[in-house]
Amino acid sequence: MAPKKEPVISEFERKRLENIAANQAILKGISTTADKILPKAAPPKSKRASTPRAKREPVKREPLRPTRQSSRLAGLDADAGVLKRKAEIEAEVEAEKAKAKKMRVSGDLSLEDIKVEGRKWENGLDGLAGLKDLPVRGAQPGVRTFTDEDVKGTTDKGLKDLRLRMSGLKLYEKWPVQDIKIVPQRIYAMGFHPTESKPIIFAGDKEGSMGVFDASQEPVKLEDDEDEEEEFADPVISAFKTHSRTISSFHFSPVDANAVYSSSYDSSIRKLDLDKGVSTQVFAPTDVDEDMPISAIDMPSSDPNIIIFSTLQGSLGRHDLRTKPEMAEIWSLTDQKIGGFSLHPMHPHLAATASLDRTLKIWDLRKIQGKGTARAPALLGSHDSRLSVSHASWSSAGHVATSSYDDRIKIYAFPDAGRWSAGAELTEEQMQPARQVPHNNQTGRWVTILKPQWQRSPRDGLQKFVIGNMNRFVDVFAADGEQLAQLDGEGITAVPAVAHFHPTMDWVAGGNASGKLCLWM
């Protein structure tokens, strides 16, 4: 028999066997070294005879609270019931924290105690020093600043002159837009103080901060010899945390120049006294846990003690400031939210509401009908849009401008509104818009909803309104839908979505999602 041949080992297999042998030699060497270094185990000691000890009373100890441990790290199987309860408890704690953060404050607030922190707003009450002793304004019920004859007499030359004048408004130049951060978060509401002596702008953001900016101030030059280029101090801006949630609107008293009213999603309406520096709650639900987000407020020019408000729950309310909040009348008008409303400046018994139910509705507050929960003002007329209507704004001449998500600005004309009898029903033809203007109203998630705002009492008698433009402009329109201007300027890097007209002067303010102010004068 031929001898068996030794199997041929490949180079790879030979190398593998050599590595295994080398590793075993290393391990053997480590074991030998360890035996030399480590001490030998000592032999067990012999047990001594135990001696009896006196018994002691056991010490009672309080049971220790268990220390939190990870079941996974301890190698224990997770108990689904325990983990579920633990998650529920943690969720309840977080919910309580979130609720406490958004809870409205019912008492009076001293502005000195609620200053918003940050270098931009460190001036606090000093920024309001120039707002004291403003001239007192009186109510002017029934005084018309625009008539049908004014409308009929408007010629093309007049329209051209108006366009030239409005297009001539220039962006505020004392500070760039990026330096005028009037509130910390996204602006939801703005307002001009009615005084004509200087432009004073109020803004409210999504977290309840109110900012105040006096545009008449002059820049202060910083003294720095090393820097050749001139530098100026930041503008004086005051900001206060007057609400715990989004500030939805401002209104200024028709008789008290020091009174500024603000509404909020925290279900409250507050009155700021500029002279005393105190913010007082004038309305809120009696139950502190009741959630009634307020979307807008307005006041009749003929009665400064009455305040009308709308809510995101689809209701309209009327409160007499001289009575307790529980005496307020609240009428449920729709199952959908009312995003905005306004009163006719000359005939404040007429209210126009805009709702998520896609309607514009005109109500007569002189005639309240129905019983119980069905009690409500008389509905005079309604007009449906294809998509939701964001806001309805009355002009002093009887126009209603609405913005809606069907990308339209609709202008309705009610020149004879003052002659309507209480509860009179409007025909379908009367409720048709007189003019529809194509306008991009798709704001998305990060831009505040675009809303038209009329110049309340124009000095020239020509009705016009402003609305933000998604292309980073502010548009100015006339009552007949003709565009008068498209305001822009250097340094505007975000949509000035919240646009507002001064009641009498040709001053326009725009606020963006960064809390910054654009001002044209």
Side-chain angles (χ1 to χ4, degrees), residues 114-162:
I114 57 173
K115 291 189 294 186
V116 173
E117 295 183 357
R119 184 175 61 85
K120 284 281 186 181
W121 311 285
E122 62 186 4
N123 298 282
L125 288 173
D126 294 339
L128 301 182
L131 309 187
K132 296 183 178 182
D133 302 322
L134 293 172
V136 177
R137 300 170 53 253
Q140 296 180 311
V143 177
R144 296 178 60 85
T145 58
F146 186 75
T147 64
D148 292 339
E149 287 72 26
D150 294 328
V151 176
K152 296 175 182 177
T154 302
T155 63
D156 291 340
K157 183 180 182 302
L159 177 61
K160 181 179 179 180
D161 292 342
L162 182 57

Side-chain angles (χ1 to χ4, degrees), residues 42-308:
K45 296 180 180 179
S46 59
K47 294 185 178 180
R48 293 183 300 176
S50 59
T51 56
R53 294 183 179 181
K55 290 186 178 181
R56 296 181 181 180
E57 291 293 328
V59 179
K60 293 184 179 180
R61 299 180 182 273
E62 294 293 331
L64 296 176
R65 299 183 66 180
T67 304
R68 292 183 60 185
Q69 294 181 346
S70 170
S71 299
R72 179 180 61 82
L73 295 179
L76 302 176
D77 292 335
D79 186 332
V82 173
L83 292 181
K84 182 179 179 181
R85 180 55 186 159
K86 178 182 177 183
E88 290 176 350
I89 293 174
E90 291 178 351
E92 290 174 1
V93 171
E94 292 300 323
E96 287 298 324
K97 290 181 180 179
K99 182 179 179 181
K101 185 177 180 181
K102 293 184 177 182
M103 188 74 69
R104 66 173 181 268
V105 181
S106 301
D108 291 355
L109 300 176
S110 173
L111 298 188
E112 190 63 42
D113 299 332
I114 57 173
K115 291 189 294 186
V116 173
E117 295 183 357
R119 184 175 61 85
K120 284 281 186 181
W121 311 285
E122 62 186 4
N123 298 282
L125 288 173
D126 294 339
L128 301 182
L131 309 187
K132 296 183 178 182
D133 302 322
L134 293 172
V136 177
R137 300 170 53 253
Q140 296 180 311
V143 177
R144 296 178 60 85
T145 58
F146 186 75
T147 64
D148 292 339
E149 287 72 26
D150 294 328
V151 176
K152 296 175 182 177
T154 302
T155 63
D156 291 340
K157 183 180 182 302
L159 177 61
K160 181 179 179 180
D161 292 342
L162 182 57
R163 282 177 167 169
L164 288 172
R165 191 172 88 244
M166 296 309 302
S167 298
L169 298 181
K170 299 297 182 184
L171 188 65
Y172 188 70
E173 296 179 344
K174 294 182 181 180
W175 282 277
V177 172
Q178 300 303 315
D179 288 350
I180 314 177
K181 189 173 177 65
I182 190 169
V183 285
Q185 302 294 330
R186 188 206 308 186
I187 294 176
Y188 269 75
M190 296 195 74
F192 267 103
H193 192 283
T195 182
E196 298 180 356
S197 59
K198 52 187 174 181
I200 302 171
I201 303 96
F202 289 75
D205 74 6
K206 65 176 294 185
E207 293 188 352
S209 295
M210 179 191 68
V212 187
F213 176 64
D214 182 354
S216 67
Q217 61 184 286
E218 294 296 331
V220 177
K221 183 179 177 182
L222 297 176
E223 296 183 3
D224 189 354
D225 297 333
E226 298 179 0
D227 195 347
E228 295 180 0
E229 185 177 350
E230 289 186 344
E231 292 189 3
F232 295 90
D234 288 337
V236 175
I237 301 173
S238 298
F240 309 95
K241 193 79 164 59
T242 55
H243 292 275
S244 61
R245 294 176 63 187
T246 302
I247 294 178
S248 55
S249 66
F250 289 100
H251 194 80
F252 299 86
S253 169
V255 294
D256 184 358
N258 287 315
V260 182
Y261 294 89
S262 60
S263 63
S264 171
Y265 290 174
D266 68 5
S267 308
S268 71
I269 301 173
R270 304 192 71 90
K271 173 187 175 182
L272 170 63
D273 190 316
L274 295 173
D275 186 38
K276 298 179 180 178
V278 175
S279 173
T280 303
Q281 180 174 285
V282 296
F283 174 80
T286 306
D287 185 355
V288 72
D289 292 325
E290 182 178 352
D291 189 30
M292 191 173 66
I294 298 174
S295 57
I297 54 174
D298 205 345
M299 298 180 75
S301 56
S302 56
D303 191 345
N305 294 309
I306 300 295
I307 194 161
I308 311 294

